[in-house]
Amino acid sequence: MTVTSLAADLSELDRADPLARFRDRFHLRDGLIYLDGNSLGALPRATAARLQQVIADEWGEGLITSWLGAEWSTAPQRIGDKIARLLGADPGEIVATDSTSVNIFKALTAALSLRPGRSKILSEKTNFPTDVYMMQGIEAFSGGRVKAVAVDPAAVLDALDDDVAVLLLTQVHYKSGRVRDMAEVTRRAHAAGALAVWDLSHSAGAIEVDLNGAQADFAIGCGYKFLNGGPGAPAYLFAAARHQAATPVLSGWFGHARPFSFEDDYDPAAGITRFLCGTPPVLGLAALEAGVDLLLEADMGELRRKSLRLGDLFMERMEPLCDRHGFELASERDPALRGSQVAYAHPQAYQIVQALKEYDVVADFRAPDILRFGLTPLYLRHRDIAETVERLEQVCATRAWDKPQYHQRAAVT
Ligand SMILES: *Cc1c(COP(=O)(O)O)cnc(C)c1O
């Protein structure tokens, strides 16, 4: 479908949209246009009822018997298996657990243990900061035996020398939305003797991912973005079946072969369970599961096609604003290289994002000068995109962004 025909009749496109029925499955305030589902996904209606049931029945009534009776104790594996269906992994290769940052530590240290003669963890500058911070923490903890190396994004493949144990990359860049070719990059890492760890925070639930098709070694990602798992939702960790003999460094009792034998020494469980650490956060997992269940009802191919269509429409409508108001496209046009977001650079990006809230549009700002618009095909309509650009035009035309309160940076952006 061409962009011109898109422009012709947006309401017709919304009527014909095979994903349109999902919008009502979310709680969304009337009038609000929410373009931040890549930072915190919207609330699925089913989540509140599900949490109420977990709190009142399973916790309130069942108390400690719910660890078995309500299957709390196997929730990390059960939800992991569901996430595996979204990511091209097999059952038993993913657990839902901990935060993404902690899972980065676990995946990197497991990968390092599988490449004992090598010392480098390689990544790219401009990666999401926590990824590189975790690498630097491992370097410090190792007393310098392990080296954290972050090079320019374009130089990553050339930096794969015979001392690189593990390559850590984010498949969809958090700012630009640029997509890395997971299969090809993993092949290059393997050719150099290294393992590949993929951060899927902006991929899962947004683009089609095929971890095993790409021969990925480890992967991690967030539960609160496109998976709609709620604020601070548990993250997930993928360890390819062939790597599950690695001994975890975070050797907690929930990863033990017999946690309730209370043995004196650590003996890791078989399979993916050894990548658990402590007691699972049951309430957070219940909310995450509701989000993942909803996503599993949708077809990922349809999701991806709609996401790209929304992005095409957005960029088309933004063209006059680029000329008139100085926005500069900071993401890729090529669908193969584009995640589920569109980004623009603008010197007043921060103020404009604040002023947009007055117009009931929520987008986000990423330092130093990026406006980021997350495209969530489950609950955005084509007409929301056109409306967003109209409201943005008003913000610029009236200089609504030029107010003293918008020149003060908030702590969370
Ligand atoms: C959002 C995001 C994270 C967040 O990590 P947390 O531990 O959940 O705070 C990590 N990596 C990437 C690439 C992200 O986009």
Side-chain angles (χ1 to χ4, degrees):
M1 188 173 301
T2 68
V3 169
T4 329
S5 72
L6 272 179
D9 192 349
L10 297 177
S11 45
E12 182 48 44
L13 273 172
D14 283 330
R15 263 194 304 277
D17 174 7
L19 299 174
R21 64 198 167 90
F22 284 99
R23 183 176 167 85
D24 265 354
R25 308 281 297 277
F26 289 89
H27 173 83
L28 290 164
R29 186 166 51 66
D30 268 353
L32 172 72
I33 301 180
Y34 190 63
L35 299 167
D36 223 346
N38 54 344
S39 226
L40 174 63
L43 170 66
R45 289 192 192 278
T47 303
R50 174 72 187 127
L51 280 184
Q52 190 53 40
Q53 180 196 16
V54 175
I55 290 169
D57 300 347
E58 300 181 6
W59 180 12
E61 299 296 319
L63 289 165
I64 201 164
T65 66
S66 289
W67 280 106
L68 288 177
E71 301 184 341
W72 288 352
S73 63
T74 48
Q77 295 90 338
R78 178 179 72 248
I79 300 167
D81 284 350
K82 291 182 179 184
I83 295 172
R85 288 160 54 193
L86 296 170
L87 301 181
D90 290 327
E93 288 188 310
I94 296 185
V95 270
T97 181
D98 298 318
S99 67
T100 302
S101 302
V102 170
N103 286 333
I104 290 169
F105 181 91
K106 288 153 60 177
L108 288 177
T109 48
L112 282 164
S113 77
L114 295 168
R115 289 291 178 273
R118 295 175 171 226
S119 70
K120 286 188 200 160
I121 306 172
L122 176 65
S123 189
E124 59 181 358
K125 289 182 177 148
T126 82
N127 198 348
F128 191 88
T130 207
D131 296 54
V132 179
Y133 299 164
M134 294 310 291
M135 291 166 46
Q136 292 168 345
I138 293 171
E139 174 180 299
F141 183 69
S142 76
R145 193 194 70 75
V146 175
K147 303 269 181 253
V149 182
V151 300
D152 281 338
V156 167
L157 294 179
D158 290 334
L160 279 166
D161 60 32
D162 62 8
D163 197 24
V164 174
V166 47
L167 172 64
L168 170 64
L169 286 175
T170 302
Q171 188 192 16
V172 177
H173 194 275
Y174 77 104
K175 261 195 235 180
S176 68
R178 191 185 163 92
V179 181
R180 289 259 189 198
D181 181 339
M182 190 192 293
E184 172 58 14
V185 173
T186 301
R187 191 188 65 73
R188 292 283 298 268
H190 289 174
L195 296 176
V197 177
W198 288 96
D199 189 329
L200 304 179
S201 292
H202 288 276
S203 315
I207 67 171
E208 290 160 295
V209 179
D210 188 3
L211 282 168
N212 283 331
Q215 293 284 304
D217 298 293
F218 294 90
I220 68 273
C222 295
Y224 49 79
K225 293 174 176 165
F226 291 94
L227 300 186
N228 305 310
Y236 53 87
L237 179 147
F238 160 85
R242 65 185 177 282
H243 295 316
Q244 292 180 355
T247 304
V249 173
L250 292 188
S251 45
W253 73 308
F254 258 77
H256 195 280
R258 297 163 300 279
F260 290 92
S261 302
F262 299 100
E263 294 168 20
D264 284 338
D265 292 311
Y266 180 66
D267 177 16
I272 193 70
T273 298
R274 68 175 56 190
F275 290 97
L276 297 180
C277 186
T279 306
V282 172
L283 300 180
L285 284 167
L288 174 62
E289 188 165 22
V292 171
D293 282 342
L294 182 50
L295 205 52
L296 282 171
E297 289 182 37
D299 178 81
M300 274 309 298
E302 259 162 18
L303 212 85
R304 176 68 170 148
R305 281 190 293 280
K306 181 174 172 191
S307 153
L308 290 172
R309 210 159 57 230
L310 294 173
D312 287 340
L313 176 62
F314 201 108
M315 289 187 283
E316 182 207 67
R317 293 293 167 109
M318 278 297 286
E319 260 163 38
L321 279 75
C322 292
D323 297 339
R324 260 202 303 278
H325 302 298
F327 291 94
E328 209 173 299
L329 184 66
S331 43
E332 300 286 339
R333 277 186 192 282
D334 180 353
L337 297 177
R338 197 195 323 153
S340 205
Q341 66 183 65
V342 180
Y344 287 87
H346 191 285
Q348 271 79 42
Y350 178 76
Q351 290 98 310
I352 292 171
V353 166
Q354 304 315 307
L356 269 173
K357 290 181 193 154
E358 279 180 37
Y359 289 78
D360 230 359
V361 175
V362 176
D364 65 13
F365 163 76
R366 285 294 173 263
D369 63 350
I370 297 288
L371 298 101
R372 195 178 67 165
F373 301 95
L375 305 174
T376 46
L378 282 189
Y379 49 87
L380 283 176
R381 299 164 298 195
H382 299 83
R383 86 179 90 130
D384 296 323
I385 301 301
E387 181 65 30
T388 296
V389 178
E390 277 169 32
R391 295 184 198 179
L392 189 56
E393 168 68 39
Q394 286 175 36
V395 165
C396 294
T398 62
R399 294 177 69 88
W401 52 267
D402 196 7
K403 293 184 182 154
Q405 69 265 33
Y406 297 150
H407 291 262
Q408 201 73 37
R409 285 267 165 102
V412 177
T413 59

mmCIF file of all heavy atoms in Angstrom, residues 42-77:
data_model
loop_
_atom_site.group_PDB
_atom_site.id
_atom_site.type_symbol
_atom_site.label_atom_id
_atom_site.label_comp_id
_atom_site.label_asym_id
_atom_site.label_seq_id
_atom_site.Cartn_x
_atom_site.Cartn_y
_atom_site.Cartn_z
ATOM 1 N N ALA A 42 0.790 0.375 27.673
ATOM 2 C CA ALA A 42 -0.502 0.711 28.271
ATOM 3 C C ALA A 42 -1.025 -0.472 29.090
ATOM 4 O O ALA A 42 -0.528 -1.595 28.985
ATOM 5 C CB ALA A 42 -1.487 1.104 27.178
ATOM 6 N N LEU A 43 -2.043 -0.187 29.887
ATOM 7 C CA LEU A 43 -2.610 -1.189 30.808
ATOM 8 C C LEU A 43 -3.661 -2.059 30.100
ATOM 9 O O LEU A 43 -4.705 -1.548 29.694
ATOM 10 C CB LEU A 43 -3.266 -0.447 31.988
ATOM 11 C CG LEU A 43 -4.130 -1.277 32.939
ATOM 12 C CD1 LEU A 43 -3.296 -2.299 33.700
ATOM 13 C CD2 LEU A 43 -4.859 -0.356 33.925
ATOM 14 N N PRO A 44 -3.416 -3.352 29.964
ATOM 15 C CA PRO A 44 -4.472 -4.217 29.418
ATOM 16 C C PRO A 44 -5.617 -4.315 30.434
ATOM 17 O O PRO A 44 -5.375 -4.396 31.636
ATOM 18 C CB PRO A 44 -3.776 -5.589 29.270
ATOM 19 C CG PRO A 44 -2.312 -5.293 29.305
ATOM 20 C CD PRO A 44 -2.163 -4.086 30.182
ATOM 21 N N ARG A 45 -6.861 -4.282 29.932
ATOM 22 C CA ARG A 45 -8.007 -4.331 30.853
ATOM 23 C C ARG A 45 -7.977 -5.601 31.706
ATOM 24 O O ARG A 45 -8.375 -5.599 32.865
ATOM 25 C CB ARG A 45 -9.312 -4.287 30.070
ATOM 26 C CG ARG A 45 -9.587 -2.949 29.447
ATOM 27 C CD ARG A 45 -11.017 -2.880 28.927
ATOM 28 N NE ARG A 45 -11.210 -1.725 28.079
ATOM 29 C CZ ARG A 45 -11.448 -0.493 28.539
ATOM 30 N NH1 ARG A 45 -11.509 -0.270 29.830
ATOM 31 N NH2 ARG A 45 -11.603 0.511 27.689
ATOM 32 N N ALA A 46 -7.506 -6.696 31.138
ATOM 33 C CA ALA A 46 -7.522 -7.970 31.862
ATOM 34 C C ALA A 46 -6.578 -7.968 33.066
ATOM 35 O O ALA A 46 -6.745 -8.760 33.990
ATOM 36 C CB ALA A 46 -7.139 -9.108 30.913
ATOM 37 N N THR A 47 -5.606 -7.060 33.054
ATOM 38 C CA THR A 47 -4.580 -7.096 34.095
ATOM 39 C C THR A 47 -5.148 -6.787 35.483
ATOM 40 O O THR A 47 -4.808 -7.466 36.459
ATOM 41 C CB THR A 47 -3.445 -6.108 33.759
ATOM 42 O OG1 THR A 47 -2.940 -6.461 32.468
ATOM 43 C CG2 THR A 47 -2.328 -6.172 34.771
ATOM 44 N N ALA A 48 -6.023 -5.784 35.547
ATOM 45 C CA ALA A 48 -6.543 -5.381 36.859
ATOM 46 C C ALA A 48 -7.322 -6.543 37.494
ATOM 47 O O ALA A 48 -7.155 -6.850 38.679
ATOM 48 C CB ALA A 48 -7.424 -4.144 36.722
ATOM 49 N N ALA A 49 -8.152 -7.202 36.675
ATOM 50 C CA ALA A 49 -8.951 -8.306 37.205
ATOM 51 C C ALA A 49 -8.052 -9.463 37.630
ATOM 52 O O ALA A 49 -8.268 -10.106 38.662
ATOM 53 C CB ALA A 49 -9.958 -8.760 36.151
ATOM 54 N N ARG A 50 -7.041 -9.714 36.811
ATOM 55 C CA ARG A 50 -6.124 -10.810 37.117
ATOM 56 C C ARG A 50 -5.361 -10.535 38.430
ATOM 57 O O ARG A 50 -5.236 -11.398 39.285
ATOM 58 C CB ARG A 50 -5.158 -10.993 35.938
ATOM 59 C CG ARG A 50 -4.055 -11.992 36.179
ATOM 60 C CD ARG A 50 -4.546 -13.438 36.194
ATOM 61 N NE ARG A 50 -3.473 -14.333 36.594
ATOM 62 C CZ ARG A 50 -3.562 -15.223 37.580
ATOM 63 N NH1 ARG A 50 -4.684 -15.376 38.256
ATOM 64 N NH2 ARG A 50 -2.530 -15.974 37.878
ATOM 65 N N LEU A 51 -4.887 -9.309 38.585
ATOM 66 C CA LEU A 51 -4.156 -8.968 39.817
ATOM 67 C C LEU A 51 -5.080 -9.037 41.024
ATOM 68 O O LEU A 51 -4.681 -9.512 42.093
ATOM 69 C CB LEU A 51 -3.541 -7.569 39.710
ATOM 70 C CG LEU A 51 -2.240 -7.472 38.917
ATOM 71 C CD1 LEU A 51 -1.689 -6.057 38.961
ATOM 72 C CD2 LEU A 51 -1.198 -8.447 39.446
ATOM 73 N N GLN A 52 -6.309 -8.590 40.838
ATOM 74 C CA GLN A 52 -7.279 -8.643 41.935
ATOM 75 C C GLN A 52 -7.466 -10.091 42.402
ATOM 76 O O GLN A 52 -7.518 -10.383 43.589
ATOM 77 C CB GLN A 52 -8.612 -8.046 41.444
ATOM 78 C CG GLN A 52 -9.630 -7.826 42.535
ATOM 79 C CD GLN A 52 -9.072 -7.007 43.703
ATOM 80 O OE1 GLN A 52 -8.325 -6.049 43.497
ATOM 81 N NE2 GLN A 52 -9.392 -7.413 44.931
ATOM 82 N N GLN A 53 -7.519 -10.997 41.417
ATOM 83 C CA GLN A 53 -7.702 -12.419 41.742
ATOM 84 C C GLN A 53 -6.470 -12.969 42.467
ATOM 85 O O GLN A 53 -6.583 -13.704 43.451
ATOM 86 C CB GLN A 53 -7.943 -13.177 40.431
ATOM 87 C CG GLN A 53 -8.139 -14.656 40.601
ATOM 88 C CD GLN A 53 -7.970 -15.400 39.266
ATOM 89 O OE1 GLN A 53 -7.436 -14.853 38.297
ATOM 90 N NE2 GLN A 53 -8.428 -16.635 39.235
ATOM 91 N N VAL A 54 -5.287 -12.594 41.978
ATOM 92 C CA VAL A 54 -4.070 -13.080 42.631
ATOM 93 C C VAL A 54 -4.004 -12.567 44.065
ATOM 94 O O VAL A 54 -3.677 -13.315 44.990
ATOM 95 C CB VAL A 54 -2.801 -12.641 41.850
ATOM 96 C CG1 VAL A 54 -1.538 -13.046 42.589
ATOM 97 C CG2 VAL A 54 -2.813 -13.234 40.448
ATOM 98 N N ILE A 55 -4.372 -11.290 44.244
ATOM 99 C CA ILE A 55 -4.280 -10.703 45.581
ATOM 100 C C ILE A 55 -5.341 -11.311 46.509
ATOM 101 O O ILE A 55 -5.025 -11.794 47.607
ATOM 102 C CB ILE A 55 -4.430 -9.167 45.504
ATOM 103 C CG1 ILE A 55 -3.185 -8.574 44.829
ATOM 104 C CG2 ILE A 55 -4.612 -8.569 46.904
ATOM 105 C CD1 ILE A 55 -3.315 -7.114 44.449
ATOM 106 N N ALA A 56 -6.605 -11.291 46.056
ATOM 107 C CA ALA A 56 -7.688 -11.697 46.958
ATOM 108 C C ALA A 56 -7.702 -13.211 47.176
ATOM 109 O O ALA A 56 -7.757 -13.680 48.319
ATOM 110 C CB ALA A 56 -9.031 -11.226 46.407
ATOM 111 N N ASP A 57 -7.660 -13.968 46.083
ATOM 112 C CA ASP A 57 -7.819 -15.420 46.219
ATOM 113 C C ASP A 57 -6.492 -16.117 46.541
ATOM 114 O O ASP A 57 -6.383 -16.848 47.517
ATOM 115 C CB ASP A 57 -8.377 -16.036 44.919
ATOM 116 C CG ASP A 57 -9.732 -15.444 44.560
ATOM 117 O OD1 ASP A 57 -10.320 -14.777 45.432
ATOM 118 O OD2 ASP A 57 -10.174 -15.630 43.414
ATOM 119 N N GLU A 58 -5.504 -15.871 45.671
ATOM 120 C CA GLU A 58 -4.283 -16.676 45.786
ATOM 121 C C GLU A 58 -3.451 -16.274 47.004
ATOM 122 O O GLU A 58 -2.964 -17.138 47.730
ATOM 123 C CB GLU A 58 -3.474 -16.559 44.493
ATOM 124 C CG GLU A 58 -4.261 -17.066 43.271
ATOM 125 C CD GLU A 58 -3.477 -16.975 41.981
ATOM 126 O OE1 GLU A 58 -2.270 -16.617 42.014
ATOM 127 O OE2 GLU A 58 -4.065 -17.261 40.914
ATOM 128 N N TRP A 59 -3.320 -14.973 47.197
ATOM 129 C CA TRP A 59 -2.551 -14.514 48.364
ATOM 130 C C TRP A 59 -3.442 -14.500 49.601
ATOM 131 O O TRP A 59 -3.166 -15.152 50.613
ATOM 132 C CB TRP A 59 -1.957 -13.128 48.074
ATOM 133 C CG TRP A 59 -1.146 -12.526 49.183
ATOM 134 C CD1 TRP A 59 -0.693 -13.134 50.319
ATOM 135 C CD2 TRP A 59 -0.702 -11.163 49.256
ATOM 136 N NE1 TRP A 59 0.005 -12.245 51.094
ATOM 137 C CE2 TRP A 59 0.021 -11.034 50.469
ATOM 138 C CE3 TRP A 59 -0.823 -10.043 48.427
ATOM 139 C CZ2 TRP A 59 0.598 -9.811 50.856
ATOM 140 C CZ3 TRP A 59 -0.247 -8.836 48.808
ATOM 141 C CH2 TRP A 59 0.456 -8.723 50.013
ATOM 142 N N GLY A 60 -4.584 -13.763 49.500
ATOM 143 C CA GLY A 60 -5.443 -13.570 50.659
ATOM 144 C C GLY A 60 -5.941 -14.884 51.247
ATOM 145 O O GLY A 60 -5.843 -15.115 52.451
ATOM 146 N N GLU A 61 -6.477 -15.724 50.394
ATOM 147 C CA GLU A 61 -7.055 -16.981 50.875
ATOM 148 C C GLU A 61 -6.028 -18.118 50.898
ATOM 149 O O GLU A 61 -5.896 -18.848 51.866
ATOM 150 C CB GLU A 61 -8.240 -17.406 49.989
ATOM 151 C CG GLU A 61 -9.400 -16.414 49.969
ATOM 152 C CD GLU A 61 -10.074 -16.259 51.334
ATOM 153 O OE1 GLU A 61 -10.263 -17.284 52.025
ATOM 154 O OE2 GLU A 61 -10.387 -15.100 51.710
ATOM 155 N N GLY A 62 -5.321 -18.267 49.781
ATOM 156 C CA GLY A 62 -4.432 -19.424 49.637
ATOM 157 C C GLY A 62 -3.150 -19.321 50.447
ATOM 158 O O GLY A 62 -2.546 -20.331 50.817
ATOM 159 N N LEU A 63 -2.755 -18.079 50.722
ATOM 160 C CA LEU A 63 -1.492 -17.847 51.436
ATOM 161 C C LEU A 63 -0.376 -18.728 50.881
ATOM 162 O O LEU A 63 -0.249 -18.870 49.670
ATOM 163 C CB LEU A 63 -1.709 -18.040 52.952
ATOM 164 C CG LEU A 63 -2.558 -16.907 53.573
ATOM 165 C CD1 LEU A 63 -3.081 -17.271 54.955
ATOM 166 C CD2 LEU A 63 -1.754 -15.611 53.648
ATOM 167 N N ILE A 64 0.405 -19.326 51.748
ATOM 168 C CA ILE A 64 1.626 -19.980 51.257
ATOM 169 C C ILE A 64 1.331 -21.215 50.398
ATOM 170 O O ILE A 64 2.162 -21.624 49.576
ATOM 171 C CB ILE A 64 2.567 -20.319 52.439
ATOM 172 C CG1 ILE A 64 3.998 -20.491 51.932
ATOM 173 C CG2 ILE A 64 2.064 -21.550 53.206
ATOM 174 C CD1 ILE A 64 5.023 -20.442 53.053
ATOM 175 N N THR A 65 0.123 -21.773 50.517
ATOM 176 C CA THR A 65 -0.195 -22.951 49.689
ATOM 177 C C THR A 65 -0.240 -22.590 48.210
ATOM 178 O O THR A 65 -0.185 -23.465 47.351
ATOM 179 C CB THR A 65 -1.554 -23.567 50.074
ATOM 180 O OG1 THR A 65 -2.596 -22.630 49.757
ATOM 181 C CG2 THR A 65 -1.619 -23.937 51.546
ATOM 182 N N SER A 66 -0.353 -21.282 47.907
ATOM 183 C CA SER A 66 -0.450 -20.888 46.492
ATOM 184 C C SER A 66 0.864 -21.081 45.726
ATOM 185 O O SER A 66 0.862 -21.073 44.503
ATOM 186 C CB SER A 66 -0.913 -19.435 46.379
ATOM 187 O OG SER A 66 -2.272 -19.347 46.754
ATOM 188 N N TRP A 67 1.978 -21.234 46.445
ATOM 189 C CA TRP A 67 3.225 -21.501 45.710
ATOM 190 C C TRP A 67 3.047 -22.739 44.832
ATOM 191 O O TRP A 67 3.514 -22.772 43.703
ATOM 192 C CB TRP A 67 4.407 -21.686 46.661
ATOM 193 C CG TRP A 67 4.939 -20.362 47.126
ATOM 194 C CD1 TRP A 67 4.785 -19.788 48.356
ATOM 195 C CD2 TRP A 67 5.661 -19.404 46.330
ATOM 196 N NE1 TRP A 67 5.371 -18.536 48.373
ATOM 197 C CE2 TRP A 67 5.915 -18.281 47.156
ATOM 198 C CE3 TRP A 67 6.116 -19.384 45.012
ATOM 199 C CZ2 TRP A 67 6.608 -17.150 46.693
ATOM 200 C CZ3 TRP A 67 6.810 -18.269 44.550
ATOM 201 C CH2 TRP A 67 7.050 -17.165 45.392
ATOM 202 N N LEU A 68 2.339 -23.719 45.350
ATOM 203 C CA LEU A 68 2.042 -24.892 44.517
ATOM 204 C C LEU A 68 0.630 -24.815 43.943
ATOM 205 O O LEU A 68 0.422 -24.954 42.740
ATOM 206 C CB LEU A 68 2.202 -26.182 45.343
ATOM 207 C CG LEU A 68 3.647 -26.542 45.673
ATOM 208 C CD1 LEU A 68 3.706 -27.790 46.548
ATOM 209 C CD2 LEU A 68 4.472 -26.748 44.396
ATOM 210 N N GLY A 69 -0.362 -24.534 44.822
ATOM 211 C CA GLY A 69 -1.763 -24.571 44.413
ATOM 212 C C GLY A 69 -2.077 -23.621 43.268
ATOM 213 O O GLY A 69 -2.856 -23.950 42.383
ATOM 214 N N ALA A 70 -1.480 -22.434 43.273
ATOM 215 C CA ALA A 70 -1.751 -21.465 42.210
ATOM 216 C C ALA A 70 -0.582 -21.398 41.223
ATOM 217 O O ALA A 70 -0.507 -20.486 40.405
ATOM 218 C CB ALA A 70 -2.031 -20.092 42.803
ATOM 219 N N GLU A 71 0.309 -22.346 41.337
ATOM 220 C CA GLU A 71 1.450 -22.454 40.412
ATOM 221 C C GLU A 71 2.319 -21.194 40.379
ATOM 222 O O GLU A 71 2.830 -20.812 39.342
ATOM 223 C CB GLU A 71 0.945 -22.833 39.009
ATOM 224 C CG GLU A 71 0.187 -24.159 39.070
ATOM 225 C CD GLU A 71 -0.274 -24.672 37.711
ATOM 226 O OE1 GLU A 71 -0.333 -23.873 36.760
ATOM 227 O OE2 GLU A 71 -0.553 -25.874 37.628
ATOM 228 N N TRP A 72 2.477 -20.572 41.555
ATOM 229 C CA TRP A 72 3.396 -19.437 41.622
ATOM 230 C C TRP A 72 4.833 -19.878 41.346
ATOM 231 O O TRP A 72 5.602 -19.161 40.729
ATOM 232 C CB TRP A 72 3.375 -18.815 43.023
ATOM 233 C CG TRP A 72 2.143 -18.042 43.366
ATOM 234 C CD1 TRP A 72 1.110 -17.695 42.521
ATOM 235 C CD2 TRP A 72 1.823 -17.498 44.651
ATOM 236 N NE1 TRP A 72 0.175 -16.976 43.215
ATOM 237 C CE2 TRP A 72 0.576 -16.840 44.525
ATOM 238 C CE3 TRP A 72 2.460 -17.504 45.891
ATOM 239 C CZ2 TRP A 72 -0.035 -16.183 45.600
ATOM 240 C CZ3 TRP A 72 1.864 -16.852 46.960
ATOM 241 C CH2 TRP A 72 0.629 -16.195 46.814
ATOM 242 N N SER A 73 5.190 -21.052 41.861
ATOM 243 C CA SER A 73 6.614 -21.413 41.846
ATOM 244 C C SER A 73 7.116 -21.694 40.430
ATOM 245 O O SER A 73 8.309 -21.566 40.176
ATOM 246 C CB SER A 73 6.870 -22.620 42.748
ATOM 247 O OG SER A 73 6.173 -23.728 42.257
ATOM 248 N N THR A 74 6.222 -22.030 39.513
ATOM 249 C CA THR A 74 6.676 -22.309 38.142
ATOM 250 C C THR A 74 6.346 -21.169 37.175
ATOM 251 O O THR A 74 6.531 -21.305 35.965
ATOM 252 C CB THR A 74 6.041 -23.614 37.621
ATOM 253 O OG1 THR A 74 4.630 -23.568 37.902
ATOM 254 C CG2 THR A 74 6.648 -24.839 38.289
ATOM 255 N N ALA A 75 5.872 -20.037 37.718
ATOM 256 C CA ALA A 75 5.496 -18.915 36.840
ATOM 257 C C ALA A 75 6.667 -18.416 35.968
ATOM 258 O O ALA A 75 6.456 -18.133 34.786
ATOM 259 C CB ALA A 75 4.910 -17.770 37.665
ATOM 260 N N PRO A 76 7.893 -18.321 36.492
ATOM 261 C CA PRO A 76 8.976 -17.819 35.628
ATOM 262 C C PRO A 76 9.169 -18.681 34.370
ATOM 263 O O PRO A 76 9.396 -18.159 33.279
ATOM 264 C CB PRO A 76 10.214 -17.886 36.535
ATOM 265 C CG PRO A 76 9.660 -17.772 37.926
ATOM 266 C CD PRO A 76 8.357 -18.530 37.889
ATOM 267 N N GLN A 77 9.074 -20.011 34.543
ATOM 268 C CA GLN A 77 9.240 -20.899 33.388
ATOM 269 C C GLN A 77 8.007 -20.872 32.486
ATOM 270 O O GLN A 77 8.120 -20.867 31.256
ATOM 271 C CB GLN A 77 9.494 -22.349 33.848
ATOM 272 C CG GLN A 77 10.801 -22.561 34.604
ATOM 273 C CD GLN A 77 10.666 -22.381 36.108
ATOM 274 O OE1 GLN A 77 9.755 -21.726 36.604
ATOM 275 N NE2 GLN A 77 11.593 -22.970 36.863
#
